[in-house]
Amino acid sequence: MHHRLLACLGLFWMLAAQSAVSCTIPVFRFALDRWEPSNYRLILPQEMAARPEIVDLLRPLRAGGVANLEIITAQQPGPTAAQLFATQDSPVPLWSGDINAQTLNALLDSPARQKLREQILQGTSITWIIADNQDKEEQRIATRLAFLEQAAALPIQDPNDPDSQLGPGPELKLSFRVQRLRLDDHAEKAFIPMLIGPEGKVKPDQPFAAAVFARGRALGAFPLAELDDAALEEACMFLIGRCSCRVKDQNPGWDLLMNVDWPKELQIATGKRPPSTTDPKVSPSSNESPAKQTATEPHRQSTATTHTIAPPKTPSVIEKPKETDNLKPWISSLALVALALGILFRYAGPE
């Protein structure tokens, strides 16, 4: 499964590098600006949905709630417990149980999701959430991401391109974060299956990492044993590369259930942008001056932690002379094409 995902990402990179008309907005920001999160489905048994306390509890969500959640009453007798499904076609529920104020709050939000929301609205490009009961892999992943922050650059931004205008939100920058949570964290019991995804390719007790971006969208869930430096780099480079496929459903990944009013929060984040900044990670155009970049209760304490990535002590990237800066986009494109072809030849064949 992961081999096919990496092959798919390689194909996306090749198309992006070859396309002269695709927008210059990186994938993670295009998705933040334009992709509405898909709804989860909470199906209630008829008897449960008719209880007055349940009607009152769910009324705020039915009458304008901001969570990407659809509440449905079962039309025929079936399970006696409420069930949460990631998509309309999901055969297996992510959660099942009784609905009350406590369980509903745990489904809608959690400490890890609150931290994730803060990072997204602060301009984090990708948050790698590591779900494990140990921290052996956290430092390795953080070190590699720090290297990528130094070595990579966002696509050239063309302020005159009407298809490449940023929407409301934080300033555009290149920023990776690592956030760790324990697999046995009770406060994240409902969230961890969402990170694993509707296909459930990762076992519930298996340590994994998920790359999350945009309005709470997971690119994929990778078993930690398979997430080597190459796989980490391939996922990151896809998400920070220019968006060549604008249709959400044609891109890999799935949405997480988050209780966030994204239009409102992104407008607030817009007001917090620096009035005039040029991020060094955004490559300037050779002909332009650098463009301006433009109802829950308190949860119990979670073990989720956020790791701010610091640059490695020993520089891993040799700086090129300034006169070669204009060649970087073309060199990067050729490198991505070569990498994509290599991935396709390696992984896209029959298993």
Side-chain angles (χ1 to χ4, degrees):
M1 177 264 188
H2 299 292
H3 291 169
R4 292 195 184 99
L5 174 59
L6 295 178
C8 179
L9 297 184
L11 181 57
F12 273 114
W13 290 342
M14 182 172 63
L15 293 176
Q18 290 179 335
S19 175
V21 296
S22 62
C23 75
T24 59
I25 302 176
V27 174
F28 75 87
R29 185 52 185 258
F30 190 93
L32 180 65
D33 289 347
R34 295 166 171 83
W35 290 354
E36 292 286 344
S38 300
N39 284 337
Y40 279 62
R41 304 173 77 240
L42 180 62
I43 301 180
L44 306 178
Q46 293 180 359
E47 182 180 352
M48 182 184 297
R51 295 192 332 231
E53 66 273 19
I54 299 300
V55 173
D56 292 340
L57 181 65
L58 298 179
R59 184 175 288 113
L61 292 176
R62 294 182 184 274
V66 298
N68 52 318
L69 178 67
E70 181 182 7
I71 302 172
I72 301 172
T73 300
Q75 298 301 313
Q76 298 179 354
T80 58
Q83 294 182 320
L84 180 71
F85 294 87
T87 66
Q88 184 174 357
D89 300 326
S90 298
V92 180
L94 296 179
W95 174 89
S96 179
D98 189 28
I99 285 293
N100 52 48
Q102 182 178 1
T103 57
L104 182 61
N105 288 336
L107 291 179
L108 292 175
D109 204 2
S110 65
R113 278 176 279 183
Q114 292 171 9
K115 291 182 179 181
L116 176 63
R117 177 182 65 234
E118 292 175 2
Q119 292 166 19
I120 292 171
L121 294 173
Q122 289 170 1
T124 299
S125 310
I126 310 166
T127 297
W128 281 89
I129 299 181
I130 303 175
D132 193 4
N133 289 337
Q134 302 178 3
D135 58 359
K136 295 181 179 179
E137 297 296 321
E138 181 178 1
Q139 187 56 48
R140 176 184 68 83
I141 293 175
T143 300
R144 187 61 181 177
L145 291 176
F147 162 74
L148 291 177
E149 274 196 3
Q150 288 190 332
L154 297 180
I156 295 173
Q157 299 301 296
D158 183 359
N160 299 317
D161 182 0
D163 292 331
S164 300
Q165 300 301 309
L166 296 181
E171 64 173 321
L172 178 62
K173 59 183 179 180
L174 182 57
S175 172
F176 300 136
R177 291 286 186 91
V178 173
Q179 180 176 326
R180 191 174 71 86
L181 57 85
R182 293 181 60 90
L183 286 169
D184 58 1
D185 187 345
H186 183 75
E188 307 299 338
K189 186 176 181 180
F191 183 46
I192 289 176
M194 300 177 194
L195 286 171
I196 292 175
E199 297 182 359
K201 298 297 184 179
V202 175
K203 297 179 181 179
D205 58 348
Q206 182 179 18
F208 70 94
V212 183
F213 65 104
R215 304 184 184 188
R217 184 170 177 85
L219 175 69
F222 304 82
L224 285 181
E226 299 180 15
L227 187 61
D228 57 14
D229 288 350
L232 192 70
E233 180 175 346
E234 287 159 6
C236 288
M237 293 301 291
F238 167 67
L239 289 177
I240 68 173
R242 64 172 56 197
C243 188
S244 61
C245 180
R246 308 185 187 190
V247 181
K248 174 185 173 185
D249 292 341
Q250 293 180 2
N251 281 268
W254 57 86
D255 295 310
L256 307 174
L257 175 55
M258 299 187 70
N259 193 24
V260 182
D261 187 342
W262 287 109
K264 177 181 177 181
E265 295 296 336
L266 290 173
Q267 286 289 352
I268 295 174
T270 303
K272 297 179 180 179
R273 287 184 189 172
S276 179
T277 60
T278 302
D279 194 280
K281 296 298 182 182
V282 182
S283 301
S285 170
S286 59
N287 297 322
E288 300 282 348
S289 60
K292 294 181 182 180
Q293 300 299 326
T294 50
T296 63
E297 299 174 356
H299 295 279
R300 71 176 64 188
Q301 186 174 2
S302 170
T303 59
T305 59
T306 302
H307 184 100
T308 301
I309 298 172
K313 295 181 180 180
T314 303
S316 301
V317 181
I318 299 176
E319 294 185 0
K320 297 180 180 180
K322 292 184 178 179
E323 56 266 22
T324 64
D325 286 350
N326 292 338
L327 298 177
K328 287 181 180 179
W330 299 102
I331 296 173
S332 299
S333 296
L334 292 175
L336 288 178
V337 172
L339 180 60
L341 291 174
I343 294 170
L344 290 173
F345 279 123
R346 181 178 179 185
Y347 294 125
E351 296 186 352

